[in-house]
Amino acid sequence: MVKVAILGYGTVGSGVFEVIKRNQHAIVNKIGEEIEVKYVLDLKDFEDDPVTEVLTGNFDEIVNDAEVKIVCETMGGVKPAYEFTKRALESGKSVCTSNKELVEKHGPELLRIAKANKCSYLFEASVGGGIPIIRPLRTSLAQEEILSITGILNGTTNYILTKMETEGLAFDDVLRRAQEKGYAERNPDADILGFDACRKIAILTSLAYGKNVDYADITTEGITAITDKDFAYAKKMGATIKLFAKSLKKDGRYYALVAPFVVMPENPLYAVNGVFNAILLNCNMGGETMYYGKGAGKLATASAVVADVLDCAKHIGKNLDTRWDEEKLAISPIDSAVRRFFVRVSGNDEAKIQEIFGEVELFNDVVEGECGFVTGEMTEEQYRRKAAEAGNVITMIRMD
């Protein structure tokens, strides 16, 4: 029997407790022995909950118990999760986590500590909730050169954009509905401004290329400027709008970006709607593979944590190595990135548009008093210069 501890009995922590209890038979079939939750760390009381039998408010009790081989860190945030994770690893206990903020900020250090103490630091649930993506990068695709990663990595923003498109609702109205349904936090900034997706693409890019990506180096734009008018143009094009988190290796340089994109139907991510997430990888040998599922939620995320627990349970006393060096990966400025752009401008001066932007695909019958167009390929820097010269740009959304 392998004994584990859970740090935090919130949404994910209670889900981990439930998955281990309900799926014990399946767990035994997979690894040949039971997983038992010996401790759950939380300062709150939970009356009439089975967790009361194993509840503790003292982390020292967990870290000093030699029977506990695996710790599930589901507290979120950096403090005290970082301290507790570090102490657990230093004591030779493997740690499995869903904490993307901690993984993005301290991942390389914690992986190094785990290796030095012959245990593991696993974080499948930190990106994509219940979608297996980190394990494939670590194992199934280890032989591949990752050329690009494109992900819908935030269910809140995907839900908002889907509802704006299908029901014609304004951004603020859909956000309020998402909060009522529990899809968005009371303070939704991390989601709607793109920071949550940015942390996740930083983690995936670090794993893909083996060096540390600082999420502060990634250009990040949210969805707050997207309107029903943008969707009207997208409909005219037969397209949709998604918040993409992207990274790319090209000509020895690395690029990363989080921003809304106009997405055409031939893109596999076009049909990913609602709270679902998906990650599209392009590899130099195997080509494209896509990973799709619930990107958040209690049981989906908890299931991913428990999958890591089983991996650790099968390798007690060993390190499941993940290559993620502390050396920083240089992310190139997006100025030289080449793409097409969808642009809305006031007025309808086609001659001026073509004089500045060259040949474009023009849409002048969608919104009164303005027009939209899709440019040819150009760099981000070239687009900015042309937009400044035009002087009447209402908005710009990149084309994928």
Side-chain angles (χ1 to χ4, degrees):
M1 180 179 289
V2 179
K3 298 192 177 182
V4 307
I6 300 171
L7 309 185
Y9 198 65
T11 300
V12 179
S14 61
V16 170
F17 187 79
E18 183 177 346
V19 170
I20 290 174
K21 290 285 187 183
R22 286 175 55 182
N23 281 18
Q24 193 63 235
H25 179 70
I27 290 169
V28 172
N29 282 342
K30 296 294 191 304
I31 66 171
E33 57 184 324
E34 291 185 13
I35 301 289
E36 179 187 280
V37 178
K38 188 171 183 181
Y39 301 100
V40 173
L41 179 73
D42 206 294
L43 297 179
K44 303 186 193 74
D45 292 323
F46 300 91
E47 295 181 8
D48 302 321
D49 190 310
V51 77
T52 56
E53 299 174 6
V54 294
L55 201 60
T56 180
N58 183 4
F59 177 71
D60 288 339
E61 188 177 3
I62 294 170
V63 79
N64 293 328
D65 189 334
E67 284 191 336
V68 174
K69 302 298 183 185
I70 304 168
V71 173
C72 303
E73 187 274 295
T74 59
M75 306 175 75
V78 175
K79 294 182 180 181
Y82 168 68
E83 177 195 345
F84 289 174
T85 297
K86 187 174 178 180
R87 287 180 61 192
L89 294 171
E90 287 171 342
S91 70
K93 304 180 192 299
S94 290
V95 176
C96 307
T97 186
S98 59
N99 189 341
K100 60 184 171 289
E101 185 178 357
L102 181 61
V103 172
E104 185 276 325
K105 191 168 186 177
H106 294 290
E109 176 194 1
L110 296 172
L111 286 166
R112 176 173 48 79
I113 293 171
K115 189 171 186 177
N117 290 279
K118 296 181 179 179
C119 56
S120 299
Y121 184 56
L122 300 184
F123 40 89
E124 180 63 66
S126 66
V127 177
I131 305 171
I133 181 58
I134 290 175
R135 188 173 285 101
L137 281 172
R138 184 168 61 86
T139 58
S140 310
L141 301 175
Q143 77 285 358
E144 291 278 4
E145 179 183 358
I146 308 297
L147 302 177
S148 66
I149 305 170
T150 304
I152 295 172
L153 297 177
N154 184 272
T156 299
T157 51
N158 204 45
Y159 171 85
I160 290 171
L161 292 174
T162 298
K163 290 298 182 183
M164 288 178 68
E165 177 183 30
T166 58
E167 299 184 21
L169 299 173
F171 173 84
D172 290 339
D173 293 335
V174 184
L175 173 59
R176 194 157 42 247
R177 182 186 296 186
Q179 290 170 319
E180 291 169 357
K181 289 179 174 289
Y183 296 152
E185 301 290 341
R186 182 174 298 176
N187 180 356
D189 284 358
D191 296 322
I192 63 176
L193 299 181
F195 302 139
D196 176 78
C198 183
R199 283 196 167 88
K200 293 171 181 176
I201 196 65
I203 293 169
L204 292 180
T205 307
S206 298
L207 294 174
Y209 303 118
K211 295 181 181 179
N212 192 40
V213 175
D214 186 341
Y215 94 113
D217 293 338
I218 299 175
T219 299
T220 303
E221 300 173 10
I223 65 169
T224 53
I226 302 298
T227 69
D228 57 344
K229 294 178 182 177
D230 297 313
F231 276 108
Y233 282 102
K235 183 178 180 181
K236 183 78 172 181
M237 290 184 272
T240 187
I241 301 170
K242 302 290 186 186
L243 182 71
F244 276 176
K246 299 172 71 75
S247 62
L248 169 72
K249 178 182 179 182
K250 186 175 183 180
D251 300 329
R253 303 178 74 181
Y254 300 89
Y255 301 90
L257 172 68
V258 176
F261 279 79
V262 175
V263 184
M264 303 306 290
E266 54 266 28
N267 189 314
L269 297 172
Y270 171 88
V272 178
N273 293 320
V275 296
F276 282 85
N277 285 193
I279 303 103
L280 183 68
L281 299 182
N282 187 18
C283 305
N284 71 327
M285 294 292 138
E288 287 188 342
T289 55
M290 190 169 92
Y291 306 81
Y292 169 85
K294 289 186 176 180
K298 175 177 176 174
L299 293 179
T301 305
S303 180
V305 175
V306 177
D308 281 345
V309 170
L310 268 59
D311 222 356
C312 291
K314 291 186 288 187
H315 299 89
I316 297 292
K318 298 179 182 178
N319 173 252
L320 294 169
D321 191 29
T322 299
R323 183 174 170 246
W324 181 352
D325 297 339
E326 293 181 77
E327 179 186 352
K328 192 171 180 179
L329 183 72
I331 299 296
S332 298
I334 65 169
D335 289 1
S336 58
V338 177
R339 55 175 52 91
R340 295 183 304 149
F341 300 84
F342 165 68
V343 186
R344 287 169 52 204
V345 296
S346 57
N348 189 14
D349 190 339
E350 184 174 351
K352 180 182 177 183
I353 291 170
Q354 291 187 340
E355 178 186 349
I356 296 173
F357 289 93
E359 289 297 319
V360 299
E361 183 181 2
L362 189 69
F363 306 96
N364 56 14
D365 58 351
V366 178
V367 179
E368 188 176 351
E370 65 172 71
C371 67
F373 58 89
V374 177
T375 72
E377 288 192 339
M378 63 183 70
T379 66
E380 293 262 351
E381 183 180 18
Q382 287 170 331
Y383 164 74
R384 283 199 298 272
R385 287 204 312 265
K386 292 175 185 294
E389 183 182 349
N392 62 339
V393 171
I394 299 170
T395 189
M396 175 274 285
I397 306 175
R398 295 166 179 86
M399 299 289 296
D400 190 73

